[in-house]
Amino acid sequence: MAQRREVMEDGSELRFDHGAPYFTVTNGEVARVVGGWEARGIVAEWKATFACFDLATGKFTDFEKEGTAKKYVGVPAMNSICKSLCLEDGVVAKFGVTVGKMDWLQDRSSWSLASLDGKDLGYFDYVVATDKNIASPAFSGLTGRPPPLDLSSFPRLPTALQDIPVRPCFALMVAFSEPLATVPVHGFSFNNSNSLSWAFCNSSKPGRACVPPNRQSWVLHSTTEYASKVINNIGPRKPSAEALAKVAEELFREFQATGLSIPRPIFLKAHRWGAAFPAIAISGDDKCVWDKSTNLAICGDFCTSPSVEGAVLSATRGVSEILECLRCPSSI
């Protein structure tokens, strides 16, 4: 879950939830966690109306009915949940640090961690890892360094960690000087589009204020096929400003092709999510990868399902395994 802050030429700010636009909950265990967040004001229900837009007919269809699953959003941004977790008692958060190497020290029964630039990060009794590239060659493609975890030293861990297929996505952040009067919903999926999959009115979410108030911000998501084609052409490394500008114009032209009289925006920028959605779940019913012999929990949506709920469920399962060890240290 992420938020992007952009500053206009006049000094005013725009904020976009350019990652997950919202999340739903069906699992009782996750519902209890989210209920606690809601009581603390970290999340709120987004009472949005959704539909589907067919580019072939130029019409909205499949308007959602009342009683569908609640849509939750972080308040005042989707990253508010993570920010709140970092402020919990006993949590020491370090930002701007990438773990580049993980070594299990059998004689100490602990992990030694080092940063990407080789700096010693200390020793730890337990490690919870949430990066799907922790043991993948994809890490090397992005950093030029070997992945932090060498699976050859940990035969109990699943080899699937080396190659978790993903579905990429581009997010288009758009702001208009006035609301889109021809769009009767807060979000909609696309049928028969060559490049767009979803559009969400970001400024309609609770806790989002636009200055001046008549501005309206939207986030559009590309299709996996479009994103894959672009990434195959430009490569896996961070795209140039020129490449992103081209993507932004292509996606916006498709938005205008709806025939909904979409005006030119006052702000337009694309962001690449090269590994937005895991294409598989590697843990099945276990919900996380847990190695009791090394006190290592690997959690994330790639363990369960590509959703916020899947990530929370995986994390709670990992925490349960660690707490069980702490309650019964002789079983470690």
Side-chain angles (χ1 to χ4, degrees):
M1 292 180 285
Q3 187 198 60
R4 186 74 169 260
R5 172 180 172 270
E6 299 287 348
V7 180
M8 300 282 288
E9 291 182 358
D10 62 3
S12 60
E13 291 186 355
L14 295 170
R15 295 178 184 270
F16 299 91
D17 295 324
H18 65 312
Y22 67 91
F23 65 96
T24 58
V25 177
T26 58
N27 177 274
E29 187 176 4
V30 177
R32 287 190 290 274
V33 173
V34 174
W37 293 343
E38 191 172 17
R40 294 163 56 190
I42 300 170
V43 304
E45 182 184 357
W46 183 21
K47 297 180 179 180
T49 304
F50 276 29
C52 176
F53 186 85
D54 192 329
L55 259 74
T57 63
K59 294 181 179 180
F60 284 99
T61 61
D62 300 329
F63 287 85
E64 278 191 355
K65 298 178 180 179
E66 292 185 12
T68 55
K70 286 185 177 181
K71 300 175 181 65
Y72 291 98
V73 297
V75 177
M78 287 300 286
N79 61 0
S80 298
I81 299 170
C82 295
K83 285 184 175 181
S84 176
L85 293 174
C86 290
L87 296 175
E88 294 279 355
D89 290 341
V91 174
V92 178
K94 293 185 180 294
F95 301 98
V97 179
T98 300
V99 174
K101 190 170 177 56
M102 300 170 53
D103 291 311
W104 171 250
L105 306 179
Q106 189 65 47
D107 57 335
R108 296 184 56 142
S109 294
S110 64
W111 286 93
S112 171
L113 303 185
S115 66
L116 200 58
D117 58 6
K119 182 180 179 180
D120 180 23
L121 299 176
Y123 300 97
F124 301 87
D125 296 327
Y126 296 84
V127 167
V128 179
T130 61
D131 186 348
K132 67 174 72 68
N133 290 330
I134 186 174
S136 169
F139 184 89
S140 303
L142 295 170
T143 65
R145 305 289 183 86
L149 189 65
D150 182 0
L151 280 189
S152 65
S153 301
F154 302 94
R156 296 187 183 185
L157 296 178
T159 56
L161 283 168
Q162 290 182 310
D163 184 21
I164 298 175
V166 295
R167 299 193 299 269
C169 174
F170 279 96
L172 180 65
M173 297 167 282
V174 194
F176 300 96
S177 59
E178 296 180 351
L180 299 182
T182 58
V183 181
V185 292
H186 302 103
F188 56 95
S189 60
F190 288 87
N191 272 347
N192 297 309
S193 172
N194 294 322
S195 56
L196 289 176
S197 62
W198 277 95
F200 308 94
C201 182
N202 196 83
S203 50
S204 70
K205 298 177 182 179
R208 275 70 169 175
C210 281
V211 180
N214 59 323
R215 280 185 183 170
Q216 193 176 69
S217 60
W218 284 75
V219 175
L220 283 65
H221 285 183
S222 77
T223 61
T224 297
E225 294 76 16
Y226 172 85
S228 297
K229 182 179 179 180
V230 173
I231 293 172
N232 287 339
N233 288 334
I234 67 176
R237 294 295 181 95
K238 183 179 179 180
S240 66
E242 292 77 14
L244 286 176
K246 181 181 178 182
V247 167
E249 285 296 335
E250 289 178 351
L251 294 179
F252 186 71
R253 282 200 299 270
E254 185 78 347
F255 195 28
Q256 288 186 310
T258 57
L260 294 171
S261 301
I262 305 297
R264 284 300 302 179
I266 58 174
F267 179 85
L268 184 72
K269 181 178 278 190
H271 177 87
R272 186 196 68 179
W273 294 108
F277 308 105
I280 62 171
I282 65 172
S283 298
D285 293 339
D286 292 335
K287 308 301 182 188
C288 74
V289 175
W290 168 245
D291 184 11
K292 191 175 183 179
S293 66
T294 60
N295 301 338
L296 172 65
I298 300 175
C299 308
D301 57 356
F302 55 93
C303 292
T304 50
S305 61
S307 63
V308 173
E309 181 178 40
V312 174
L313 188 58
S314 180
T316 56
R317 183 60 57 89
V319 168
S320 296
E321 297 288 2
I322 293 174
L323 290 177
E324 181 63 26
C325 286
L326 292 174
R327 283 193 292 266
C328 306
S330 61
S331 66
I332 298 177

